[in-house]
Amino acid sequence: MSKLGKKPISIPKDTKVKIESGKLTLTGPKGSKEMTLNDKIFTTSLSESNNLVLNLIKKNEKMNILWGTTRSILNNAVIGVSVGHEKILELSGVGFRASLKGNILNLQLGFSHDCTYEIPKDIKLTVEKQTTLKINGIDKEWVGKVAAEIKKLKMVEPYKAKGIKEKGQYVLRK
C-alpha cells in the first residue's frame, strides 16, 4: 500500500472538481486545469467532506508507485488552481540586473551582451527589484522549468557566489 496514495486530497471551498470518465477538470480562482487519468488503473470519487479520493483497481508493487505519484500530481494541480505556485530567484553579482519588456525578460549578467528569455504564456513573471524575480503559475512543473532555465543562464559559482539562485538556496563556497 502506498502511504501517500491512501491520503485524500482536500479541496478548498473556492475550487470545483468535475469528474468525467477518465478526465478531471479543476477550476479555481487562479485558473482551470484539465487532467486525464487511466480508467483501467485508478478510480476517483468525491467524499462528503469535500475530499478527492484516488483508489487503485489492481494492487501490485508497480501500481503502488504510480498511485503515490499520481496522487501527488493531482494534489499539486489542486494547489495550483486554488493558490498557485511561486518561485523567487535572486541575482547576485556586481552589475547584475533584470528588466521586463512585454513577455521578454532581459538580463544583464556580466557578459558582453544581454541575455534574453521569452516567458511562456501560462507563466507570470514579475521583476520586484532589479535583482529579484518572482515566477508564478498554476502548473508546478512549468514554474520549476522556467526557474531552472533562467538559473542556467548564469549558474552560481562557488568562489564569490555570483549568479542566479533561488531564494534560500545554500551555495557551498570554496
Side-chain angles (χ1 to χ4, degrees):
M1 295 292 285
S2 173
K3 288 181 188 177
L4 194 61
K6 286 190 283 186
K7 290 183 182 177
I9 300 168
S10 62
I11 299 169
K13 294 176 185 174
D14 52 354
T15 305
K16 293 182 181 105
V17 177
K18 187 178 178 185
I19 302 171
E20 293 174 356
S21 60
K23 284 191 178 180
L24 232 70
T25 306
L26 305 165
T27 308
K30 295 286 184 176
S32 64
K33 188 171 182 175
E34 193 171 289
M35 302 183 75
T36 58
L37 288 174
N38 193 342
D39 285 344
K40 297 174 184 171
I41 302 173
F42 302 109
T43 59
T44 54
S45 60
L46 284 169
S47 66
E48 308 86 40
S49 58
N50 206 18
N51 289 331
L52 182 67
V53 180
L54 185 71
N55 291 318
L56 265 178
I57 295 172
K58 291 182 181 179
K59 294 183 180 176
N60 60 30
E61 194 171 329
K62 285 186 179 179
M63 295 306 152
N64 276 342
I65 297 167
L66 274 177
W67 191 17
T69 305
T70 306
R71 191 248 178 224
S72 291
I73 291 170
L74 284 175
N75 189 37
N76 287 334
V78 168
I79 292 169
V81 296
S82 60
V83 179
H85 296 285
E86 176 182 82
K87 289 218 180 212
I88 300 172
L89 299 181
E90 297 173 338
L91 280 72
S92 56
V94 177
F96 285 20
R97 286 187 216 106
S99 62
L100 200 58
K101 296 173 185 165
N103 69 333
I104 294 177
L105 177 68
N106 188 24
L107 297 163
Q108 295 176 345
L109 300 172
F111 299 125
S112 61
H113 59 283
D114 291 355
C115 297
T116 58
Y117 180 77
E118 189 173 339
I119 304 163
K121 64 176 180 167
D122 296 336
I123 300 297
K124 184 183 175 209
L125 195 136
T126 55
V127 178
E128 291 197 333
K129 299 180 198 171
Q130 289 184 334
T131 58
T132 307
L133 302 171
K134 256 192 183 175
I135 304 166
N136 294 311
I138 61 169
D139 193 358
K140 187 175 185 178
E141 182 182 357
W142 272 99
V143 171
K145 184 176 187 237
V146 168
E149 287 175 353
I150 293 173
K151 283 170 42 177
K152 199 192 298 185
L153 294 173
K154 181 74 173 184
M155 296 177 80
V156 180
E157 49 95 12
Y159 298 104
K160 292 187 178 180
K162 291 182 180 180
I164 305 172
K165 65 178 182 174
E166 285 187 37
K167 185 176 183 181
Q169 177 183 343
Y170 180 75
V171 179
L172 189 63
R173 304 221 13 211
K174 290 184 179 179

